[in-house]
């Protein structure tokens, strides 16, 4: 029974993490389209700091903790090809998390390095990876 509770909360925090990763670039996009000191820029800057601190980073940590707990409770999962592929993708997703936050800092500093186009393209990546991860963990194709 414990395993199912852990899996349920794993998925709850997966949803929060993915939602945050899809909203954060949107906030930054609004900032890129405005100037430091303008109400929109400052509002989006504050909102994205809260989003990062309250949702995205805690959710990522909890997804990892609960995911690794399930592996500890069911170590045979580590012999499964789909789990290897899943772990590779979630490492990429976690790296992307860090990259997105570093881009966010550049937007806050208004360095001009981050274009709206780049943010629009990057906005899709977490969703594409999530599709692959969910198919791997539900269908277990290999
Ligand atoms: C970040 C590191 C992660 C680890 C270590 C991890 C590990 C695991 C493990 C061990 C299970 C149980 C598998 C089973 O009992 O068959 C599981 C289930 C699941 N994981 Fe993750 N996971 C991670 C991230 C994610 C992410 C990012 C997503 C989605 C984007 C995700 C979606 C799911 C789903 C939907 C299930 C339920 C599968 C089922 O009901 O059989 N996980 N995860």
């Amino acid at each position: 029974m414990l395993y199912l509770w852990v899996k349920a909360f794993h998925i709850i925090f997966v949803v929060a993490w993915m939602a945050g990763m899809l909203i954060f670039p949107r906030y930054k996009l609004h900032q890129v389209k405005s100037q430091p000191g303008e109400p929109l820029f400052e509002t989006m800057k504050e909102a994205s700091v809260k989003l990062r601190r309250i949702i995205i980073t805690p959710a990522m940590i909890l997804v990892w903790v609960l995911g690794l707990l399930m592996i500890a409770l069911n170590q045979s999962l580590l012999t499964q090809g789909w789990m290897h592929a899943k772990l590779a993708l979630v490492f990429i997703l976690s790296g992307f998390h860090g990259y997105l936050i570093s881009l966010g800092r550049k937007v806050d500093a208004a360095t001009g390095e981050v274009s709206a186009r780049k943010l629009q393209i990057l906005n899709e990546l977490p969703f594409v990876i999530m599709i692959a991860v969910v198919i791997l963990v539900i269908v277990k194709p290999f």
Side-chain angles (χ1 to χ4, degrees), residues 13 15 18 47 50 57 62 91 93 104 110 123 136:
F13 292 115
V15 173
M18 292 305 109
K50 283 188 184 145
T57 303
L62 287 163
F91 268 111
L93 203 55
N123 201 178
L136 281 167

Side-chain angles (χ1 to χ4, degrees), residues 3 7 10-11 14 17-18 63-64 67-68 70-71 77 82-83 86-87 90 93 130 133-134 137-138 140:
Y3 192 84
K7 194 187 282 190
H10 176 71
I11 298 171
V14 161
W17 187 23
M18 292 305 109
V63 166
W64 270 104
L68 293 173
M70 284 189 282
I71 290 174
L77 288 167
W82 63 267
M83 179 53 82
K86 178 185 175 179
L87 289 174
V90 293
L93 203 55
M130 183 197 68
V133 169
V134 171
V137 76
I138 299 293
K140 302 179 170 61

Side-chain angles (χ1 to χ4, degrees), residues 62-79:
L62 287 163
V63 166
W64 270 104
V65 168
L66 295 169
L68 293 173
L69 178 56
M70 284 189 282
I71 290 174
L73 292 170
N74 182 2
Q75 290 171 26
S76 68
L77 288 167
L78 285 176
T79 64

Side-chain angles (χ1 to χ4, degrees), residues 19-74:
M21 292 266 267
L22 293 171
I23 296 167
F24 188 86
R26 288 277 142 202
Y27 283 177
K28 293 301 164 192
L29 201 53
H30 289 304
Q31 271 183 266
V32 163
K33 291 180 177 171
S34 57
Q35 296 301 321
E38 286 179 4
L40 179 61
F41 185 99
E42 300 308 326
T43 307
M44 289 294 123
K45 183 177 174 184
E46 200 189 317
S48 52
V49 168
K50 283 188 184 145
L51 182 68
R52 174 169 57 80
R53 286 196 187 136
I54 301 169
I55 299 192
I56 308 180
T57 303
M60 179 185 75
I61 294 167
L62 287 163
V63 166
W64 270 104
V65 168
L66 295 169
L68 293 173
L69 178 56
M70 284 189 282
I71 290 174
L73 292 170
N74 182 2

Side-chain angles (χ1 to χ4, degrees), residues 25 96 99-100 103 117-126:
F96 180 72
Y99 175 63
L100 206 54
L103 279 188
R117 184 87 193 108
K118 183 171 187 171
L119 286 167
Q120 276 158 344
I121 293 167
L122 290 176
N123 201 178
E124 310 310 327
L125 193 66

